[in-house]
Amino acid sequence: MKRFLALLALAGACLTLSPAALADDAPVASATASTVTAPTVAAPAPVATPAAAPAMVAAADPAPVDKVDKGDTTWMIVATVLVILMTVPGLALFYGGMVRTKNMLSVMVQVFVIFAMLGVLWCVYGYSLAFTEGNAFFGGFSKLFLKGVTPDTLAATFSKGVAVPELIYVAFQMTFAAITPALIIGSLAERVKFSALLAFMVLWFTFSYIPMAHMVWYWAGPDAYTTAAAADKATATAGFLFQKGALDFAGGTVVHINAAMAGLVGAFMIGKRIGFRKEIMAPHSLTMTMIGGSLLWAGWFGFNVGSNLEANGAATLAFLNTFLATCAATVSWTFAEWWLKGKPSLLGAVSGAIAGLVAITPACGFVGVMGGLVIGLLAGVVCLWGVNGLKNFLGMDDSLDVFGVHGVGGIMGALLTGVFASPSLGGTGVFDYVANKVGDFDMSAQMISQLWGVGTAVVWSGVVSLIAYKLVDMVFGLRVSEEQEREGLDTSSHGESAYHY
């Protein structure tokens, strides 16, 4: 425990040396009753900003925001609860069912505690560093401990002059910040030390999740885009990838690729489970996995549709795309597995559904319904390859296939967003808030922007994860002893058992 507290102190010291702190001339946004905005990613051109994704920003000298719709606020409360449902119990049951009986409880404890711990850190410093003005990579310290955030302060949506209460925006983003690190658990399951896992999550959350959220989703909001000159000025204060024009409606880069890279690096660094590919390590309860996967599917509507921040037509597009792409990926994975292995499996069907959800996440508010269908169909087949062919090629023990589903699916979805967002293919294009209409869409330029998003997520998370794992390994050691691993983490780490016979 002393070493854990020491590492937390180290993280705090490093935090004070973040780019935001080092940028003496970086403006820090103030909290006012009508400031802030939401996620999107727009072309760096003087006008375009896409309507989509979850983020928030405080703009200097903002135009008044007058309208707060009770329907929007109600929907955001419901969406936030749905994302909580995704994690506890959804992700806990989904992961727990896929490990062996002796490790079921350990996975559930890991998911539950990490979700709670990072929720605390989000309100202490995460929200401020992600969604206030600082520099292109980190925000500022103006809202540490949610200073200045009250029931009267507002978060802008994607419509000019429309807002939601900032407190519900904080809560909604809190669920994203808490579930993303919990996804990493699947790569390290059945052999990681609990203390090491918690310490790693603090470091990774601080130096990978927060800056990725800021880079992709921080902007000055639609009210700042009044003229070409004002748009140039506003875009210059946005996150790095927002300036590059990368589109990410609900977290393909920020959540899925980001977490998957941390899982991939961790799987290599912690090593394979004892008996990997020599002993049977089949899921102990596919019933639990199916229930957890179903809860994930239901909760994902809050994740994706809530990222629209308004209960309007754009939200219905995100809803149907999320629904259809998941159905399509389930079908394509099932039939591809049936053809390749001779039998369709429940685990395959549930995995296909998760693959579809992952792939449609960055695209759901930007692509047309048929674009969503194609993304879903491709996700089932491509992610099936990811958890079989790619995993075997890499020779790693990614216990619950985090990279094969979240990494491969996230990369594919992020890139195809640049294709199917085209209005000529039924997409929404990119909205020009200066002209107040959809601007011209250049698919080649958008694909370059998407590559910036994917490449940055891969490199940033990969490097941060490598350093964080190394630090944690030096202090705690990443892995339990061989004796503890053979006994199972339920009893050796937590002194409890999931089942009593």
Side-chain angles (χ1 to χ4, degrees), residues 233-254:
K233 182 179 179 181
T235 301
T237 67
F240 174 71
L241 291 173
F242 187 99
Q243 294 184 39
K244 291 293 184 183
L247 297 171
D248 186 350
F249 194 87
T253 52
V254 179

Side-chain angles (χ1 to χ4, degrees), residues 113-139:
V113 173
I114 285 169
F115 186 80
M117 180 180 72
L118 296 182
V120 172
L121 297 183
W122 179 251
C123 292
V124 171
Y125 65 85
Y127 177 75
S128 184
L129 287 177
F131 294 127
T132 64
E133 190 174 332
N135 57 46
F137 303 98
F138 282 88

Side-chain angles (χ1 to χ4, degrees), residues 311-328:
N312 58 17
T316 64
L317 174 64
F319 188 99
L320 185 54
N321 274 331
T322 301
F323 199 174
L324 180 60
T326 308
C327 292

Side-chain angles (χ1 to χ4, degrees), residues 315-388:
T316 64
L317 174 64
F319 188 99
L320 185 54
N321 274 331
T322 301
F323 199 174
L324 180 60
T326 308
C327 292
T330 302
V331 170
S332 64
W333 184 305
T334 298
F335 279 88
E337 181 184 54
W338 198 348
W339 179 63
L340 290 171
K341 299 184 178 181
K343 293 180 180 180
S345 69
L346 173 62
L347 181 59
V350 177
S351 299
I354 303 303
L357 290 163
V358 168
I360 200 60
T361 289
C364 60
F366 293 121
V367 305
V369 176
M370 290 302 103
L373 174 64
V374 173
I375 290 173
L377 290 171
L378 290 173
V381 177
V382 173
C383 291
L384 174 61
W385 166 79
V387 304
N388 289 285

Side-chain angles (χ1 to χ4, degrees), residues 264-308:
L264 179 68
V265 173
F268 278 115
M269 292 193 67
I270 200 169
K272 300 173 184 178
R273 288 168 289 178
I274 296 171
F276 180 66
R277 298 206 185 284
K278 297 177 182 178
E279 302 174 6
I280 296 176
M281 296 183 176
H284 87 279
S285 177
L286 287 177
T287 302
M288 292 288 189
T289 295
M290 189 271 180
I291 294 170
S294 300
L295 289 169
L296 281 166
W297 188 348
W300 218 293
F301 289 105
F303 196 89
N304 282 2
V305 186
S307 295
N308 189 65

Side-chain angles (χ1 to χ4, degrees), residues 140-157:
F141 297 105
S142 61
K143 293 188 178 180
L144 289 180
F145 300 96
L146 299 184
K147 177 184 177 183
V149 180
T150 73
D152 296 320
T153 57
L154 304 177
T157 64

Side-chain angles (χ1 to χ4, degrees), residues 100 102-103 187-192 267 270-282 396-399 479-489 492:
R100 290 168 288 180
K102 62 185 180 180
N103 294 309
S187 293
L188 314 174
E190 301 196 300
R191 74 269 203 203
V192 66
I270 200 169
K272 300 173 184 178
R273 288 168 289 178
I274 296 171
F276 180 66
R277 298 206 185 284
K278 297 177 182 178
E279 302 174 6
I280 296 176
M281 296 183 176
M396 59 170 175
D397 182 12
D398 180 356
S399 309
R479 190 165 181 155
V480 298
S481 68
E482 180 177 345
E483 180 182 355
Q484 291 173 318
E485 185 176 342
R486 290 191 182 280
E487 179 185 347
L489 302 189
S492 66

